[in-house]
Amino acid sequence: LVLTTCLILSQSQVFAAAKLSHLVKEFVLNDTTVKQQRLSQYKRKWVFVNYWATWCPPCLEEVPDLVALYDSRKNKDVVVIGVVFDFDSEKEVFDYVDDMLMSYPIVLGDEDVKAQIGSADALPTTYVYNPRGELVKIKRGLVTMARAMGNNVIFCHHQSWHMSCTYGLPNR
C-alpha cells in the first residue's frame, strides 16, 4: 500500500509524524462482544482507533464516515476500532451504537486503554497506524471522509480557515 500525504504540514507536524512512525507498540483491547482487538492481528491494514463520547457533537458527525469507511474496506485494508469514553452506562453506549449503525468494533474506554493507546484529553481523537503497525498520526478533532476521488479515499479535517487532508488510501 502506498501512503499519499495530501496535507500542507508545518515543519513541526512533519517532524512529529516522523517521530511517531518508529513507535510500534502492541495493544490488546476487549470489545463489547468480548473479542480481543490486537494491533498485531491487523498487519497489512490501516488501523484507525477512534476515541469518542455519546455527548460529543463532532464525534456524532464523524461516525457515518467511519462506518462507511469500515464497511467498504474491512475485508481489504482498513480497520476501525471505536473507543467510547465518559459514558454513564453500557446501555447508553449500546443504544448509541445501535442508533448510529456503528458496525465496527466498540471498546469501553478506561485507564488501561489510555495506557496502551494514548490520551483521551480531547474528543474525538483518532490514532492512525500504518499497515506495518506503526503509529503515524494522532488526530485530535473531527475526521471525515471528505470524498472518494479516483483511487483515493481522502480524510480531511477542517481548521478555522482551511481544510487539509490527512491520508489517501489506494482503492483496491
Side-chain angles (χ1 to χ4, degrees):
L1 297 174
V2 175
L3 172 66
T4 305
T5 303
C6 36
L7 168 61
I8 300 173
L9 294 170
S10 70
Q11 288 182 340
S12 63
Q13 288 173 308
V14 171
F15 180 69
K19 283 176 57 177
L20 288 175
S21 69
H22 69 279
L23 298 175
V24 181
K25 187 171 136 183
E26 174 73 300
F27 62 71
V28 180
L29 310 173
N30 292 317
D31 69 23
T32 56
T33 66
V34 196
K35 181 179 177 193
Q36 283 193 338
Q37 302 295 324
R38 294 176 173 272
L39 179 60
S40 60
Q41 80 190 62
Y42 297 121
K43 292 290 184 188
R44 300 184 185 197
K45 289 190 176 194
W46 288 92
V47 178
F48 295 84
V49 179
N50 177 253
Y51 286 6
W52 59 280
T54 58
W55 51 262
C56 167
C59 302
L60 175 72
E61 186 176 340
E62 71 184 1
V63 167
D65 286 341
L66 291 170
V67 168
L69 174 69
Y70 177 74
D71 287 348
S72 67
R73 302 183 72 119
K74 66 183 171 190
N75 296 322
K76 298 174 187 171
D77 58 359
V78 169
V79 172
V80 176
I81 301 169
V83 181
V84 60
F85 285 95
D86 198 21
F87 54 92
D88 291 328
S89 69
E90 288 185 19
K91 182 185 179 332
E92 172 193 19
V93 172
F94 296 145
D95 288 348
Y96 185 91
V97 167
D98 286 343
D99 288 347
M100 295 301 295
L101 304 174
M102 296 169 78
S103 51
Y104 48 85
I106 302 297
V107 172
L108 301 176
D110 58 17
E111 292 305 313
D112 182 55
V113 171
K114 289 190 271 187
Q116 291 186 67
I117 306 286
S119 168
D121 293 339
L123 294 175
T125 295
T126 303
Y127 292 83
V128 181
Y129 296 84
N130 69 19
R132 293 183 305 276
E134 299 166 333
L135 179 62
V136 294
K137 179 75 176 170
I138 300 170
K139 171 63 181 94
R140 289 176 178 82
L142 179 66
V143 175
T144 62
M145 184 171 61
R147 63 188 183 273
M149 198 173 159
N151 289 336
N152 293 318
V153 175
I154 301 176
F155 285 84
C156 298
H157 63 277
H158 302 276
Q159 295 180 346
S160 59
W161 53 272
H162 75 284
M163 178 172 41
S164 54
C165 300
T166 338
Y167 290 96
L169 302 175
N171 188 7
R172 295 186 193 251

